[in-house]
Every structure is written in structure tokens, then in C-alpha cells.
Amino acid sequence: MAAQEEQRFRLSEQYQSLKSALHRHLIDLIDERNLDIDAMSYAQVRQLCLEQVRRYVVDHKLPVNQREVEILSTDARHELIGYGPIQDLVDDDDIDDIVVNGPGQVFVERAGRLEEVALRFMDDAHVVRVIQRILAPLGRRVDESTPMVDARLPDGSRVNAIIPPIALNGPCVSIRKFRKRPLTSDELRHNGTLNAELLEYLQLRVRNRANLLVVGGTGSGKTTLLNLLSSWIPNAERVVTIEDAAELRLDHAHTVRLESRPPNLEGERAITTRDLVRNALRMRPDRIIVGEVRGDEVLDMLQAMNTGHDGSMTTLHANGCQDAIHRLELLAGFAGFTGSEVTLRGQVVSAIDLMVHVSRMPSGERRVLSVTEIEGMRGTDVQLADVFRFDLDRQQHVDVRSQAH
């Protein structure tokens, strides 16, 4: 069956109805035989689905060919022990993000580009059923009392789900997949994210214990770059990582990984990033790495960088280095900082040595747009100086220092 024909087959109402009937048939069969699906091997479930689909097609004299039987069998298996229509997307290593906007729209991101795929769910209830299947092993669920959930899957992928009545277009699922292997410096150089000279400079600054802030928008590659920077920390140093959802993959001999915890259903027992940063200061770290600064932990992170934990790193949502300064000030204000603006800027200048701005280009590629040193204060203003900059016209990284001479 050609790919386009297969897509049309899978999207048709006839197919959706048939798949629903098959699913009910399998559930009834499992109940009737008292089968323990969770105890069965993948091969046993696969064989069960294939045999039952074939028998169902013959018994009901359905005009379905062998390839369509295989498709139905695969989808039936995914409904029983997988994530339904999106299981193949979860298994595809070339896909970075999966976005479900209600039962009729599924998008994926490949190589930085978002594209719609020819998949659909039967209805809202089908999407919710898959959401519950994703969340059940994590001890989480969504319902009317808790219509939003953010969680980490066992493989490290992040999942966010939101259901009606909060989501007006139907249940929505967003999965940020976790790379099994972090991108290497050679791969990032080959992709054009940075060049050899910039790599060498960043590596030197990491080993010389510069405090680093990686800034950029959503999906710009901040965590990927933070992984790379962290890989250059000498093994003799003790590193404590703090994240909302563990994404960092440090191949480092002495790493302690901490992860925040959301509140329970009663709104209690939350462990925040700020709690973990404060606790990390008591764990004798050489460096602290915070996956992302987004709240009141900003003051504790700046304090850590100012009190002997040189070489610490974090990321921040911002549209550039100057914008990052303003955002740090904003977060500090939300965190209850009562000092003057000049005092806060002085803390930022003392804490952070270098900012790296990454961005996703319109074509989908990720680029380091600038590497900027924080030089100090001039009056009440923070003085920034670019070291490297990406030249959009020439599509290459430029050492600004060499241009200045």
C-alpha cells in the first residue's frame, strides 16, 4: 500500500469505526479469557492482536487486505499497551516534539520544523484515555478537578496535558522528547550551531570556571547547549544539577541530580527549585547547574554564583542578552528583592561572567547568535561586550575581538 493510500485509509471514518470495534472486541476477549496483558511479552501481545484482527475480518467478511490487517493489528496493539495513534511518533528518534490539539490535529517537530501529520484520534474521550495511559505509571492523572498536568516520562521526556473545560478545542498533549544521546560538539558544529573557534573559546571559559547564562526562546536549544557546556567540567569537581524536569545528561564522575516536585492534590508538599538551590549550597558543590531560572530561585542562584561557586551555569527565557538583564531584574522583583535597581544590577554583574544567546532560525536550524561578556557597570547601566556574533548576511560566526583590531 502506498504511503498516501495508507494515510487516507487511517484517516477515514470507516477505519476509525473499525478500529473502535476491534478495540472493544479485544477488551471483551481479554476480560473473557482473564488475560493479564501487563504480564505478557511484547511478542505475545503482537501475536494476539494479529490473530484476533485476522479472525475478526474473516468472521465479519470485511473487505480488508493483508496490509490493512497489519495496520489494524499494529494500531490495536498500540491501543492496548502503547500511546494509541501517537506511539509511532514516540518511537521515532527523528522527532523532537509531539503536539496533539484535540482529536483531529497532530503536529510534530523534525529538524526544527513543525508539521502536521496524518493521524487522528476518534474523539475527545480517546485523547483523554491515552493521556491517562501516559500518566498512570507516573502516579498522576487529569480530571475536572485537576485539568492540567506537567510530568516527566521514565525516559526523561516531558509531557504536558490539559483537558476541557480549560482546553476549548478538546484535550491537548505536548510531549518534548528526550534525546537518548546528547548532541556532541562535532554534531553542533556540523549543524552550524557554532564553529570550531567558538567551541574552543567556550570550552576554555568553562574550564576557567566562568559563570555562564544561556539565554533564548522556547525550543531554541538552551538545554542542548547547557549539556555541551557541562560536559567540559573537569571530573575532579562536584556538580549539583537542579531541574524542574530532568533533561540534562552529564557524563561526569561526580554529579548529584536534583528534581523539583509539584504539589500534591491537596496543594501541599511541593519542593521548589528555590528549595533545591538553597539545599544545594549545603551539599559542598564546586558548581551548581540550574536547568532553567524562571522564578524566585533567581536570587539564590545569583548568591551561589557570588559566594564561591564559580563555574556555575543556568538558562533563562529571553530574546537576547540585554533582555536577559531586564528579565533577571523582573524575576528578582517577583522574588521579593527590596534593594535598589543599581544594587541588583551590581549583583548580576558580580555573579555572571558570560551570556550565550541561542535562537531557532526561521528555517528551523539552531544558532548561537552571540557570546557576550558582562564587563561591569557604567553609571547605572550594565555594560555588555560581544565576543562572538553570528553574521546573518554571511551566515557565519564572527570573532568580534579580531574585527576590533
Side-chain angles (χ1 to χ4, degrees):
M1 182 187 291
Q4 288 186 340
E5 291 179 11
E6 181 175 319
Q7 287 180 359
R8 281 196 295 270
F9 175 65
R10 274 183 152 155
L11 290 173
S12 68
E13 291 293 340
Q14 192 175 16
Y15 175 76
Q16 296 298 322
S17 298
L18 177 55
K19 189 170 76 167
S20 179
L22 273 168
H23 183 65
R24 287 195 300 271
H25 169 72
L26 283 167
I27 294 298
D28 290 343
L29 180 77
I30 290 166
D31 289 342
E32 180 185 318
R33 296 184 181 178
N34 197 26
L35 298 175
D36 185 355
I37 287 290
D38 293 333
M40 295 172 66
S41 68
Y42 175 86
Q44 288 173 324
V45 176
R46 182 180 183 278
Q47 187 62 30
L48 172 70
C49 291
L50 188 57
E51 288 177 355
Q52 290 304 314
V53 167
R54 283 173 176 165
R55 184 169 299 173
Y56 189 91
V57 166
V58 170
D59 290 347
H60 291 78
K61 298 181 172 58
L62 300 176
V64 176
N65 62 36
Q66 180 57 35
R67 176 55 185 154
E68 291 169 345
V69 165
E70 292 172 0
I71 294 171
L72 282 164
S73 172
T74 297
D75 286 354
R77 183 176 73 251
H78 289 166
E79 292 294 339
L80 285 179
I81 61 171
Y83 296 160
I86 62 172
Q87 182 61 51
D88 284 337
L89 307 181
V90 172
D91 293 336
D92 189 340
D93 291 338
D94 291 331
I95 291 175
D96 296 317
D97 288 90
I98 302 166
V99 182
V100 178
N101 301 334
Q105 277 192 328
V106 180
F107 290 82
V108 299
E109 182 187 303
R110 287 188 182 94
R113 289 181 176 274
L114 202 62
E115 59 188 50
E116 189 170 3
V117 293
L119 291 175
R120 57 169 291 192
F121 292 78
M122 287 177 280
D123 49 30
D124 283 3
H126 188 194
V127 183
V128 172
R129 189 164 69 243
V130 170
I131 292 173
Q132 302 293 20
R133 179 179 292 276
I134 292 172
L135 297 177
L138 312 177
R140 309 286 295 278
R141 62 175 286 109
V142 289
D143 50 35
E144 285 191 7
S145 62
T146 312
M148 297 184 296
V149 67
D150 196 67
R152 178 171 59 87
L153 300 179
D155 70 350
S157 299
R158 287 161 53 185
V159 59
N160 178 276
I162 182 167
I163 64 172
I166 306 301
L168 301 182
N169 295 333
C172 297
V173 187
S174 304
I175 299 176
R176 168 65 61 85
K177 291 178 62 180
F178 187 67
R179 291 186 63 90
K180 295 180 176 63
R181 181 184 57 81
L183 289 172
T184 65
S185 56
D186 287 341
E187 287 171 319
L188 290 174
R189 187 161 52 87
H190 177 75
N191 294 341
T193 302
L194 30 62
N195 64 8
E197 189 178 8
L198 178 47
L199 271 170
E200 184 179 351
Y201 173 80
L202 290 174
Q203 190 169 11
L204 180 65
R205 294 306 302 268
V206 170
R207 289 181 175 169
N208 287 341
R209 301 180 65 85
N211 288 326
L212 296 172
L213 180 64
V214 180
V215 305
T218 301
S220 59
K222 297 187 297 298
T223 302
T224 297
L225 185 58
L226 189 62
N227 254 320
L228 178 65
L229 296 171
S230 303
S231 71
W232 296 325
I233 297 174
N235 275 328
E237 298 180 23
R238 175 175 167 84
V239 180
V240 178
T241 69
I242 299 165
E243 299 176 84
D244 275 342
E247 292 183 280
L248 293 173
R249 296 283 294 275
L250 272 65
D251 185 16
H252 191 272
H254 198 168
T255 300
V256 178
R257 304 173 71 207
L258 306 178
E259 185 178 54
S260 62
R261 185 177 70 192
N264 58 21
L265 294 177
E266 289 74 38
E268 302 171 344
R269 300 181 63 190
I271 304 294
T272 67
T273 302
R274 186 173 199 178
D275 295 330
L276 295 178
V277 173
R278 288 176 169 178
N279 191 77
L281 293 172
R282 306 183 186 102
M283 297 175 67
R284 198 246 168 247
D286 290 307
R287 307 192 195 213
I288 296 174
I289 300 176
V290 177
E292 181 182 346
V293 168
R294 64 174 72 180
D296 53 9
E297 69 275 2
V298 63
L299 294 177
D300 301 280
M301 188 66 196
L302 291 174
Q303 179 190 359
M305 289 176 164
N306 270 318
T307 53
H309 302 91
D310 294 337
S312 294
M313 309 175 193
T314 188
T315 74
L316 179 75
H317 273 279
N319 294 322
C321 295
Q322 191 65 58
D323 184 51
I325 301 295
H326 297 319
R327 182 153 174 77
L328 287 171
E329 293 173 359
L330 184 66
L331 292 176
F334 290 153
F337 181 78
T338 57
S340 70
E341 185 179 81
V342 174
T343 301
L344 177 59
R345 289 179 180 176
Q347 287 195 29
V348 171
V349 167
S350 298
I352 301 170
D353 300 305
L354 198 68
M355 290 190 287
V356 184
H357 178 205
V358 293
S359 180
R360 180 168 57 181
M361 311 303 285
S363 54
E365 295 93 348
R366 273 80 171 182
R367 295 283 183 267
V368 172
L369 291 189
S370 67
V371 175
T372 304
E373 291 183 340
I374 298 184
E375 293 188 320
M377 297 279 291
R378 180 177 297 169
T380 61
D381 296 327
V382 176
Q383 293 301 297
L384 306 177
D386 286 347
V387 182
F388 287 87
R389 188 184 302 125
F390 185 70
D391 189 314
L392 291 171
D393 293 329
R394 290 188 284 172
Q395 289 291 300
Q396 66 182 37
H397 290 92
V398 176
D399 187 337
V400 179
R401 298 167 301 176
S402 64
Q403 288 188 333
H405 295 300

